């Protein structure tokens, strides 16, 4: 007896709907490689309907006093907390992530981030009034931008959805959100939760909408004339296409496009502690994190010691099924991603050495062993390009200047870390590293109050923090005659 796949739906104007033309796509559990659901493959009619709903709801939502929007967000945070186990199950099915780690490392930050932006809703302010021309008073208004088209990635479907909708709604915008075509399940559940709160409190149904689909669906959203802003987390190629398309209507664009974080370990670092923390920060979520600690630069005097210890840490790191509480990470998200990671390792140059891992695990699902590769050169493909898998590369450097040159010598500029006991050196490095975040003697912690976002081909705009909130606003100058 076979079980019928679960049917996921779009959420438009307060209603769950199939795609207008009935098209669907299979949703696969990466831990098993088997389809467990279908989701709408949305087309132009679906995007039109979602945008119309968001556009109609915008004036009402915009004109609410901030305290009312705060109340909604706080209620959403409470509702997510109450439905945590359902969301954890959906997210694990989406991604194959360990249940225990999703429970401890994702849901609490999500709830905290929503509550942070609930507070930010009441700080939608401009500069104080002043007279800058005789007989005239100027004030600055900070306003929401309008309808926001948002595209979330598959590596953190729930959390990235929060990073997008929470600041947008707090600032007074309305939202049309598209999850990745491989991970729509938890977003559909978020729509149920958020829609329930909006309905309970009597707010417009079109404030929050979810449209499922593929790249073409996303393209239709970006090209649509209604959105005033497009926010995308994804690949550099996707970001370039979005920016080019949005430029035709001069839409505001917010992009987070990946990273290749350098992890600079100096000779005076606590090597044992560095190895322990870097292994976790490199392999967590199967390395499918734009800030993952996967490009290590180690001073030549401690290089061999570090590589030996990291290879042992990799051998001690476990990947496996979501219900195994001993695993650090689950599978890669999809078959294409498994092929990409495998390809990087298969194409390693002759001078590279696989110190640990370097192979698929099992024949069911998309699991890949924790991997360490040494002997690399700066211009090697695996050093320059984002692998987005559980693969940590190690290079050696001779001095601080060479470390900086190697660290900055990639097209990405999202995150980085420095490991040293020398405070002055840590401060110099934090200035010289060309990345949106520099951690010192740690790697990967994030808090709602601090900004996350990169430079160069890692994109522009900030997530989290007051800066992320302000990205979803516009500035208006108002001048009045005192006469």
């Amino acid at each position: 007896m076979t079980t019928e796949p679960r049917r996921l739906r779009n959420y438009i104007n307060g209603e769950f709907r199939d795609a207008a033309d009935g098209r669907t796509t299979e949703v696969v559990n990466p831990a098993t490689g088997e389809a467990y659901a279908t989701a709408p493959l949305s087309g132009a009619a679906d995007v039109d309907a979602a945008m119309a709903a968001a556009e109609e709801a915008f004036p009402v939502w915009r004109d609410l006093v901030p305290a009312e929007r705060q109340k909604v967000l706080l209620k959403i945070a409470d509702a997510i907390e109450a439905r945590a186990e359902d969301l954890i199950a959906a997210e694990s099915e989406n991604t194959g992530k360990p249940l225990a780690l999703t429970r401890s490392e994702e849901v609490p930050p999500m709830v905290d981030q929503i509550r942070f932006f609930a507070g930010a809703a009441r700080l939608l302010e401009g500069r104080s009034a002043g007279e800058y021309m005789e007989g005239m008073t100027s004030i600055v208004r900070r306003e929401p931008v309008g309808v926001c088209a948002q595209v979330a990635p598959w590596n953190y479907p729930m959390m990235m959805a929060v990073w997008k909708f929470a600041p947008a709604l707090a600032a007074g915008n309305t939202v049309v959100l598209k999850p990745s075509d491989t991970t729509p399940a938890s977003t559909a559940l978020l729509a149920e939760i958020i829609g329930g709160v909006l309905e309970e409190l009597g707010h417009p149904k079109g404030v929050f909408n979810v449209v499922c689909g593929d790249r073409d669906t996303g393209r239709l959203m970006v090209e649509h004339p209604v959105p005033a802003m497009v926010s995308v987390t994804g690949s550099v190629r996707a970001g370039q296409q979005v920016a080019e398309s949005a430029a035709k209507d001069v839409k505001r664009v917010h992009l987070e496009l990946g990273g290749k974080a350098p992890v600079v370990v100096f000779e005076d670092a606590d090597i044992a502690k560095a190895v322990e923390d870097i292994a976790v920060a490199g392999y967590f979520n199967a390395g499918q994190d734009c800030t993952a600690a996967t490009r290590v630069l180690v001073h030549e005097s401690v290089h061999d010691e570090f590589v030996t210890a990291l290879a042992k840490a990799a051998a001690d790191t476990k990947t496996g099924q979501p219900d195994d509480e001993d695993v650090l990470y689950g599978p890669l998200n999809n078959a294409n991603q498994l092929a990409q990671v495998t390809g990087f390792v298969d194409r390693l140059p002759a001078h590279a050495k696989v110190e640990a891992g370097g192979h698929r695990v099992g024949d069911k699902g998309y699991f890949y062993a924790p991997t360490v590769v040494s002997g690399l050169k700066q211009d090697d493909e695996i050093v320059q390009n984002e692998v987005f898998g559980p693969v940590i590369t190690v290079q050696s450097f001779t001095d601080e200047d060479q470390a900086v040159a190697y660290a900055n010598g990639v097209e990405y500029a999202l995150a980085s870390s420095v490991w040293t006991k020398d405070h002055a050196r840590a401060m110099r490095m934090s200035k010289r590293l060309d990345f949106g975040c520099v951690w010192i003697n740690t790697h990967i912690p994030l808090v709602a109050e601090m900004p996350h976002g990169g430079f160069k081909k890692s994109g522009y705009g900030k997530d989290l923090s007051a800066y992320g909130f302000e990205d979803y606003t516009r500035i208006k100058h108002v001048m009045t005659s005192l006469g």
Side-chain angles (χ1 to χ4, degrees), residues 194-206:
I194 295 168
V197 170
L198 289 168
E199 183 177 3
E200 178 187 346
L201 297 179
H203 294 297
K205 295 177 180 180

Side-chain angles (χ1 to χ4, degrees), residues 43-44 51 81 334 382 401 434 457:
M51 294 299 174
E81 218 166 31
N334 53 74
I382 200 167
D401 287 342
D434 189 19
K457 287 192 176 178

Side-chain angles (χ1 to χ4, degrees), residues 155 163 233-234 255-262 289-292 295 386 388 407 410-417 433-439 443 446 451-463:
N155 59 333
W163 285 21
T233 299
L255 300 174
E256 201 269 74
L257 305 179
K260 192 70 181 174
D289 190 311
C290 301
T291 63
R295 183 168 65 105
E386 188 173 33
F388 223 56
V410 294
E411 292 183 331
Y412 299 92
L414 181 60
S416 60
S417 64
L433 288 172
D434 189 19
F435 295 84
C437 175
V438 181
W439 287 291
H443 193 106
L446 295 169
H452 173 79
F455 315 134
K456 293 159 62 174
K457 287 192 176 178
S458 287
Y460 44 81
K462 298 296 182 184
D463 290 309

